[in-house]
Amino acid sequence: YNTTLFKATDGYKLYEKFSTLMSVLMIAVSLLGLCGNMFSICVLARKEMRNCFNQILIAINVCDSTHLVFAILEAIRTSFVQLYPAQLLKIFPYVHYPFYRISLTASIYLIISVAIERFFAVCRPHHYRQVQSDS
């Protein structure tokens, strides 16, 4: 399979334009998500808002923010190669790619922990209040 011939086709040029557009949209949405996550962390971290549920939400926001940072780096790496630092390219398989996936997995597990926490809050309210008051 000759990639040089494929890169000369109109289909590939259209794909490159679409890929660049999707990367720009991903960066824009990720930046908005980072701002929203930072705002949520600031609100949830206040002293009067401290409880188990809000602590889990803060952890989800941190994991999602980490994932968004790596998503921005991935969009830059795939569509704007000249802007991606060479040092990061060398450590890509050891840092960027694994932490991109780990942050997603951690976020999923934290969502499961929210479901478990809400289950106890709704189905076992007396025990939940007792545990909350002890901590």
Side-chain angles (χ1 to χ4, degrees):
Y1 188 73
N2 191 346
T3 59
T4 309
L5 289 175
F6 177 66
K7 288 183 179 181
T9 64
D10 289 333
Y12 182 76
K13 292 175 185 172
L14 182 64
Y15 165 76
E16 271 190 329
K17 288 179 183 178
F18 179 75
S19 178
T20 302
L21 174 68
M22 292 307 292
S23 293
V24 169
L25 287 173
M26 181 187 236
I27 291 169
V29 170
S30 295
L31 289 173
L32 287 172
L34 281 171
C35 292
N37 284 342
M38 294 303 150
F39 178 72
S40 295
I41 290 171
C42 290
V43 169
L44 294 169
R46 293 185 307 184
K47 189 169 180 100
E48 63 270 8
M49 298 286 289
R50 289 207 181 135
N51 61 31
C52 180
F53 180 70
N54 289 343
Q55 295 298 320
I56 296 171
L57 290 181
I58 290 172
I60 290 173
N61 281 322
V62 169
C63 286
D64 286 347
S65 295
T66 303
H67 188 75
L68 290 172
V69 167
F70 284 116
I72 291 170
L73 289 173
E74 181 69 16
I76 292 171
R77 186 185 71 83
T78 55
S79 293
F80 307 104
V81 179
Q82 67 279 9
L83 298 176
Y84 195 78
Q87 296 83 7
L88 287 180
L89 197 55
K90 290 177 184 173
I91 62 170
F92 172 80
Y94 309 108
V95 176
H96 180 150
Y97 187 77
F99 282 107
Y100 189 32
R101 302 301 179 225
I102 289 169
S103 65
L104 178 64
T105 306
S107 183
I108 291 168
Y109 281 123
L110 285 166
I111 290 171
I112 293 169
S113 71
V114 165
I116 293 168
E117 192 268 347
R118 291 288 90 194
F119 169 80
F120 284 116
V122 171
C123 295
R124 309 260 194 265
H126 298 297
H127 176 69
Y128 180 78
R129 285 190 198 108
Q130 182 183 6
V131 170
Q132 285 292 317
S133 63
D134 289 344
S135 56

